[in-house]
């Protein structure tokens, strides 16, 4: 039996952080042997908010290098850049024409990001989830491994696919495959270091709120030293009154590869003064191999470019078939 297909992606906006790693990329790596994988650097999504053209290309390359440095294996996975496969934009247009405007207006991420943009909200920001649906549906993906914040976008993707199938498919021959979100319980929502009730995010103006995968040991130490804690004695998971405590213990658990029970047994009696250095050492040790692999890869630009060139060819082959299938079912003239 052929393997199920996985597709996922990260926006090349600034440095990837522990939320991106623990909520998404690490899970891609752990599961990749079980699937046929397509991992995309979603650069078209990165321009839905104001962007700097001088850094878009380099951020795209560094994101791809980080995929590899985190352990994506080209034997079972394809890494490519979204804008290198024009079918993404083309399918997004076709899907736009069946997606009701009010479905997009209710997207939580749109509402959150739109507030920050004020008068300058672009049509692209509103349309962002339709492009994401195109990314996924083009590859007939069975599973989409993401963090919790993408769940609503995955539901929308399914709704769009159902609408296309209802309108243009035959009963036994759907046009598009319905994907499922793959959201792990652990790591699905890594919280900010400065506020345990807010998601760790690339767009938080405070650098202290997140640990980037490329932070130096000194930076990691500084951020953990300054992170928000509480005056309660002892450390515990799952106390809603202690969101920072839960978040920091969860980070430790994931980065140290321990079970919740092990961490509970080890840390219940600890104070912050004892726990923070432990979290610093664990984080530095977990990121060190990724950083050294990343540095090696960045010294081999030609190799990286060849990976992306091959990835674009492989992705294109799959994407163009789906695009043609959709165009045929919508009734376009072919030549
Ligand atoms: P992006 O670039 O914001 O985030 C990339 C991945 O990281 C996850 N993530 C988190 N997980 C846990 N805790 C956090 N604090 C945290 N922050 C981010 C996200 O859930 C995501 O899995 N729309 C997507 C990119 C995208 C995409 C796609 C994803 C475009 N097309 C197709 C999957 C399939 C996004 O903005 O991710």
């Amino acid at each position: 039996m052929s393997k199920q297909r996985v597709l996922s992606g990260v926006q090349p906006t600034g440095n990837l952080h522990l939320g991106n790693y623990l909520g998404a990329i690490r899970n891609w790596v752990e599961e990749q042997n079980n699937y046929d994988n397509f991992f995309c650097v979603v650069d078209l999504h990165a321009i839905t908010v104001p962007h700097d053209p001088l850094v878009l290309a380099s951020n795209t390359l560094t994101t791809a290098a980080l995929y590899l440095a985190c352990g994506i294996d080209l034997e079972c996975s394809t890494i490519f850049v979204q804008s290198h496969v024009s079918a993404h934009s083309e399918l997004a247009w076709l899907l736009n024409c069946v997606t009701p405007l009010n479905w997009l207006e209710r997207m939580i991420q749109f509402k959150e990001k739109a507030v920050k943009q004020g008068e300058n909200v672009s049509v692209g920001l509103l349309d962002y989830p339709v492009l994401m649906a195109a990314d996924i549906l083009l590859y007939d993906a069975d599973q989409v491994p993401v963090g919790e914040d993408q769940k609503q976008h995955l539901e929308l993707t399914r709704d769009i696919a159902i609408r296309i199938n209802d309108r243009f498919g035959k009963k036994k021959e759907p046009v598009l495959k319905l994907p499922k979100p793959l959201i792990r319980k652990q790591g699905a929502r890594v919280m900010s270091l400065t506020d345990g009730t807010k998601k760790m995010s690339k767009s938080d103006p405070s650098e202290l709120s997140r640990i980037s995968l490329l932070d130096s040991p000194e930076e990691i130490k500084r951020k953990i030293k300054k992170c928000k804690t509480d005056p309660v004695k002892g450390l515990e998971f799952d106390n809603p009154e202690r969101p920072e405590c839960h978040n920091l213990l969860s980070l430790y658990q994931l980065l140290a590869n321990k079970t919740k029970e092990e961490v509970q047994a080890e840390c219940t009696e600890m104070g912050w003064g004892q726990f923070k250095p432990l979290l610093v050492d664990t984080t530095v040790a977990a990121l060190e191999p990724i950083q050294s692999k990343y540095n090696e890869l960045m010294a081999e630009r030609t190799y990286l470019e060849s990976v992306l060139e091959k990835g674009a060819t492989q992705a294109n082959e799959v994407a163009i078939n789906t695009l043609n299938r959709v165009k045929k079912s919508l009734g376009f003239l072919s030549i």
Side-chain angles (χ1 to χ4, degrees):
M1 229 176 70
S2 65
K3 287 182 176 172
Q4 285 206 337
R5 171 83 46 78
V6 151
L7 177 126
S8 199
V10 175
Q11 296 189 63
T13 37
N15 282 332
L16 306 198
H17 53 67
L18 281 182
N20 301 128
Y21 181 56
L22 298 171
I25 303 173
R26 193 166 95 152
N27 305 333
W28 307 350
V29 171
E30 283 178 4
E31 298 281 341
Q32 65 184 329
N33 285 320
N34 302 324
Y35 297 102
D36 168 27
N37 311 279
F38 284 83
F39 297 120
C40 182
V41 180
V42 291
D43 56 347
L44 295 170
H45 279 100
I47 66 162
T48 55
V49 292
H51 81 286
D52 181 353
L54 295 176
V55 297
L56 180 63
S58 64
N59 282 346
T60 302
L61 199 71
T62 56
T63 305
L66 273 171
Y67 286 6
L68 287 168
C70 288
I72 295 298
D73 176 1
L74 297 172
E75 284 292 315
C76 54
S77 304
T78 299
I79 297 178
F80 69 103
V81 176
Q82 185 185 33
S83 68
H84 294 171
V85 182
S86 58
H88 289 247
S89 310
E90 199 173 344
L91 182 63
W93 176 256
L94 304 181
L95 302 182
N96 271 335
C97 296
V98 302
T99 306
L101 182 59
N102 65 37
W103 287 9
L104 300 181
E105 284 169 336
R106 10 176 233 265
M107 291 293 113
I108 298 164
Q109 285 216 334
F110 170 69
K111 289 196 241 173
E112 284 172 358
K113 288 189 186 171
V115 174
K116 293 185 195 153
Q117 303 294 316
E119 292 283 297
N120 289 323
V121 180
S122 69
V123 175
L125 187 66
L126 178 72
D127 202 26
Y128 176 114
V130 179
L131 179 59
M132 178 163 164
D135 300 339
I136 297 165
L137 298 172
L138 270 180
Y139 297 87
D140 289 327
D142 298 281
Q143 308 277 351
V144 185
V146 283
E148 177 74 33
D149 61 343
Q150 298 302 316
K151 197 170 169 204
Q152 197 187 28
H153 290 159
L154 260 297
E155 282 158 10
L156 181 90
T157 301
R158 289 174 63 88
D159 288 343
I160 294 174
I162 290 170
R163 208 164 160 101
I164 291 267
N165 290 343
D166 285 351
R167 288 198 181 166
F168 306 106
K170 301 198 185 90
K171 231 186 174 153
K172 291 206 167 125
E173 234 180 282
V175 185
L176 293 168
K177 185 175 234 176
L178 297 193
K180 290 201 184 82
L182 201 62
I183 301 175
R184 285 212 185 161
K185 232 173 145 197
Q186 293 289 340
R189 206 169 158 76
V190 173
M191 309 309 273
S192 154
L193 294 184
T194 47
D195 179 350
T197 63
K198 266 179 29 194
K199 190 184 75 164
M200 184 177 285
S201 151
K202 287 181 217 144
S203 60
D204 192 314
S206 169
E207 276 289 330
L208 287 176
S209 68
R210 60 186 163 262
I211 292 177
S212 297
L213 298 189
L214 299 176
D215 277 350
S216 66
E218 294 70 37
E219 282 167 311
I220 293 170
K221 190 170 176 190
R222 186 172 73 92
K223 289 177 179 178
I224 293 181
K225 213 169 163 192
K226 294 208 160 168
C227 77
K228 189 172 172 201
T229 53
D230 56 32
V232 185
K233 225 169 163 246
L235 303 181
E236 59 188 330
F237 283 104
D238 299 318
N239 181 344
E241 312 225 311
R242 305 185 67 193
E244 286 81 21
C245 187
H246 178 81
N247 189 44
L248 295 172
L249 281 182
S250 303
L251 281 179
Y252 174 59
Q253 184 200 326
L254 287 164
L255 294 170
N257 282 315
K258 294 191 172 176
T259 64
K260 198 170 172 181
E261 292 68 34
E262 282 168 338
V263 174
Q264 250 154 356
E266 186 183 353
C267 304
T268 313
E269 304 289 325
M270 280 187 188
W272 292 114
Q274 202 183 349
F275 176 73
K276 280 189 172 184
L278 181 64
L279 183 59
V280 171
D281 290 347
T282 307
T283 310
V284 170
L287 296 186
E288 196 278 324
I290 295 175
Q291 296 182 355
S292 60
K293 181 83 194 149
Y294 171 85
N295 290 332
E296 269 171 39
L297 285 161
M298 288 308 286
E300 291 187 64
R301 196 185 165 108
T302 327
Y303 168 72
L304 277 178
E305 284 169 353
S306 75
V307 168
L308 294 180
E309 211 175 306
K310 194 165 165 222
T313 307
Q314 286 169 341
N316 225 334
E317 270 170 28
V318 178
I320 202 77
N321 273 330
T322 314
L323 180 67
N324 286 338
R325 193 170 78 224
V326 177
K327 284 172 90 172
K328 193 167 168 217
S329 65
L330 263 60
F332 282 91
L333 175 68
S334 59
I335 43 167

